[in-house]
Amino acid sequence: MNFDWMTAHVGMPLLKILILLVPVFTVVAYMVWFERRVLGFFQSRLGPNRVGPLGLIQPIADGLKLLLKEDVVPANARPFLFKIAPIFSFFPAFVGFAVITWALPWVTASGKTHGFVVADVDLGLLVILALSSMGIFGILLGGWSSGSKYPLFGSLRSASQMLAYEVPLTFSVLSVFLLAGSFRMSDIVAAQQKLGWYFLFPGIVAFGVYLVAAVAETNRTPFDLPEGESEIIGFHTEYSGMRFAFYFVAEYANVVLTSVLAAALFLGGYDIPFVDDAALYAAHPALTSILGVTAYAVKGAVFAFFFVWIRATWPRYRYDQLLRIGWFVLFPLALFNLLLAALFRLWLLR
Amino acid sequence: MAADRTDLSVTSPLREVLESREVELNLGPQHPATHGVYRAIVRLDGEKVVGIKSVIGYLHRGIEKWAEYRTWTQATPIFDRLDYLGAVLNCHGYVGAVEKILGVEVPKKAQYIRVVLDELQRIASHLLWLGTHGLDVGAQSVLFYAVREREAIMDLFEAMLGQRLLPNAYPIGGVRFDFPRGWVPVCRKFLAEFPKKVDDYETLLTTNRIWVQRTKGVGVVSAEEAVALSLSGPTLRGSGVNFDVRKAIPYSSYEDFDFEVPLGQNGDVYDRYLCRIREMRQSVRIIQQALDGMPEGELKGKVGRIIRPPMGEAYFTVEAAKGQLGYYIVSDGAEKPWRVHVRAPSFINLQGMETMCKGGLIADVVAVIGSIDIVLGEVDR
Amino acid sequence: MTDETKTPETPKPAGDAPEAPAAPPKAAAPAPPKAPPGPKKWEPTGTVVENDVTTALKERFGEAVQGVPSPCGEATVLVEKGLLLDVLAFLRDDPRTAMNYLSDLTAAHYPVNDRKFEVVYHLFSLEKKHALRVKVKLDDREPCPTATKVWPGADWMEREAHDMFGIVFEGHPNLEVILLPEDFEGHPLRKEYPLGGDQEEMIRGNRYGKPVYLPDDLEEARKILEEERHGR
């Protein structure tokens, strides 16, 4: 228990959490702004543009408004479950960011090199998958404890939908595992750098499956029937104020998380394209890391834009069609893709 | 009433727990997708619709009674408020009925002007239908594009009639004014650009897999059922029945114009959607022909200052955007109507909800409501 | 809630409405020198129009079907209530008439006529493109056979006529109120029902009450005002 140990095992992680949380919260909040603005442009109107320059203070204004709203618990609801349900959605979405490596390590403190990751666990990818499964509890609990038919319907639909699409998602991620040989996020990026190609190309089918499954997992259009605003309003019908904000922010955090994950798994993460990272790292580690984070952010932003683009364009699927796609189309495709990935791995290993 | 009971050879408490019941869901009067204050009590077995009961009357304003307390001319503005999205057509119906019972001859020029304004109103109504229907089914952006086109038509109406939405367009006997200076070129410009916009909407929706899957085979009503239920308008023509009042009972010089009546085949939501899109294109054709062949002449027939029709009754129908809009008026020789009855197409089309929704899923109910294109002002009067 | 027990709400029954069957405001017009026009029976003017449909009807039913004059050239027939369903079924099924489309079904109230209500059917043939108006005259409280057996689309139209006029359609599957609230009393489109409904006094009448001339004594004045307030 000396200073070095404390720094390495308590101080640095806390610092990393702080450094991670602030940008992540900001990015998630501004994802809302980004979506509203981009949706507006798609729909030949401007998005928020009054509150601050380009409407940039809009998320803060929204957050303040939601904080100041009256706390309504419906009479028919189960109070305790009603109040804690949003936490179950909120929590996993943000914890998933802890296992993502953001750049090659260059900070040395107290004799130990600290990577740009809060928790570089061996099974980083599995942790994220497990956490996303936990997110379903929030929806189920929230819908059931609201005590009314609309949220109940919405939450049941959402639960079956997320279950149906968890499986193809897991399989596509497993394909990446097969290609990379490890669940650790930094290893996956390293494997892509070693291969010379991003996993997009060998794993194109996995990429397709992942995209569709990710859109369904995050309850986004065209799979947003559970929160289908024009029909059964959804599991959050009875929620208002900050509780609703929790669900809302959890959804956007999920979107950001899946975008970042897609960038890591298929587009190389913090690998700077067209540049020899190893050489650059040997020469200027700080510059590599900064450029790496920037490249990562850009790749994630591309996916986020893709999410918004689809929302602006396509209608939503009906519930039974949605499940049919999940089980009868994506699942076989994901299995087939696993086979392909295994074959590719064998070819790599020969 | 209880759905399939699986054969459980267990003790009764478990059987009670696993028995399924029908759920009654209230698609209440306040709902984003019911196009107004319309309430549908849907009986569901899981997600399947077993029965649907419509409750209307939330917007009942007693228009028919009110019309009996005003003179024939004073009563004209209220009929705009029936189908408030297709007001000019409502006005045409009422005014046509009064002209019929009076025996007033509307001059040819006035008839052509009426055709132009009617068809513009039809395009506007169908545009808003497209936007809201798309929004209900999930395509959020179509609403904004449709409303943007509608703005052009609203501007035309404002220049010609003084009002965007409820213009009280026609006096009894003709039209009030000719086209203002510069109106016709603006209208022609709109007509030149509009078909391309409709192409855009079709690109977005007609061949979109998701749209087709959501709307094909949904809300089917066969031709015989549709005729028996007295449906009209695109709701009827989607089932393949060729009944368009403009062709069947021509009024206001519609027989001079060359246009097609789009028909569907299957009677589902997709066919009705296609019917309305094609009707928009046909309306553009009609307006162009009317503007090209505009005759000279008077704007208004000979109508006295105080209208006292002979004792009797008349029934006059027009093809409104929603269907066949009819006015049955009874006069007792006084200057106030004795009875005015509005044959509202949305009211009668809404009867078909039960037939169309049975056996579908609850998400289809919303699509069907959108495809019937109801306006609660007309349903409830 | 659906049958003859539903009475009009106003004190004046339908039978004796000697003053102003048209509208109260007409009689309250500012003092015309001549007497207001008395109530007159409603008889349509014009000429009787014959077309294929009426010819076929006359062949089949003879004198039970009478032509009604029309001022604007619409074929109209008047039918006895007992024959109504037969006539409608004949019109729908016979190949010469082929009136498969019920365009409108409505009613009208003529308080001064012998038979006070008329139910009016507008029929149309989609193939032959001819139209016909069929009328049936009814007394107050006299039920009418339902047309839903012939055209299911008559369902809501008859419910509306029942709502508005109180005409009972026998054999209707679901004769409930459709446009009015379930607990509504009265039939609004009858001529004796005031436009303002049960708030007629408030809306169209003297909404502030008659002027009260108060005595000089304060106590008496207070008593009168209290009575006024409680009486309302």
Side-chain angles (χ1 to χ4, degrees), chain C residues 81-228:
Chain C
K81 186 180 91 156
L83 274 184
L84 178 66
L85 283 183
D86 295 326
V87 168
L88 291 178
F90 170 76
L91 285 170
R92 183 190 61 174
D93 299 327
D94 186 80
R96 286 170 297 174
T97 56
M99 313 212 92
N100 51 356
Y101 193 75
L102 174 70
S103 190
D104 194 13
L105 193 171
T106 184
H109 183 204
Y110 305 103
V112 191
N113 280 10
D114 298 328
R115 309 192 73 192
K116 304 213 169 0
F117 289 94
E118 274 189 12
V119 177
V120 182
Y121 301 78
H122 289 93
L123 307 173
F124 186 71
S125 167
L126 294 182
E127 294 101 37
K128 304 210 185 315
K129 312 250 191 317
H130 48 221
L132 179 71
R133 181 186 297 130
V134 176
K135 292 171 37 140
V136 111
K137 289 197 193 205
L138 303 167
D139 277 324
D140 198 3
R141 310 257 166 91
E142 191 182 334
C144 177
T146 182
T148 47
K149 298 184 180 50
V150 186
W151 295 285
D155 187 349
W156 280 21
M157 305 191 218
E158 286 181 350
R159 274 173 74 179
E160 188 199 341
H162 165 76
D163 231 0
M164 295 288 139
F165 289 94
I167 301 175
V168 175
F169 289 90
E170 290 173 321
H172 192 277
N174 183 22
L175 199 65
E176 282 181 356
V177 292
I178 189 170
L179 291 181
L180 299 170
E182 279 99 13
D183 52 354
F184 195 87
E185 287 175 11
H187 297 282
L189 275 176
R190 294 191 180 207
K191 287 296 175 184
E192 66 273 3
Y193 192 92
L195 182 61
D198 56 356
Q199 295 182 324
E200 171 79 357
E201 262 302 302
M202 157 83 183
I203 294 173
R204 292 161 50 82
N206 189 357
R207 67 175 78 183
Y208 297 110
K210 297 190 194 34
V212 176
Y213 296 101
L214 296 174
D216 291 334
D217 182 34
L218 195 56
E219 292 305 318
E220 294 291 309
R222 281 221 183 94
K223 261 195 255 166
I224 292 181
L225 282 176
E226 279 302 312
E227 267 172 38
E228 235 339 74

Side-chain angles (χ1 to χ4, degrees), chain A residues 276-330:
Chain A
D276 186 1
D277 285 65
L280 195 59
Y281 182 57
H284 307 278
L287 185 65
T288 318
S289 299
I290 293 178
L291 282 180
V293 174
T294 319
Y296 206 171
V298 168
K299 292 170 193 170
V302 165
F303 282 106
F305 175 74
F306 179 69
F307 273 87
V308 177
W309 189 7
I310 296 188
R311 179 182 179 177
T313 317
W314 285 344
R316 68 174 69 91
Y317 266 110
R318 202 176 59 200
Y319 181 57
D320 61 326
Q321 295 161 348
L322 201 152
L323 288 179
R324 190 164 294 143
I325 292 179
W327 289 114
F328 295 144
V329 175
L330 276 190

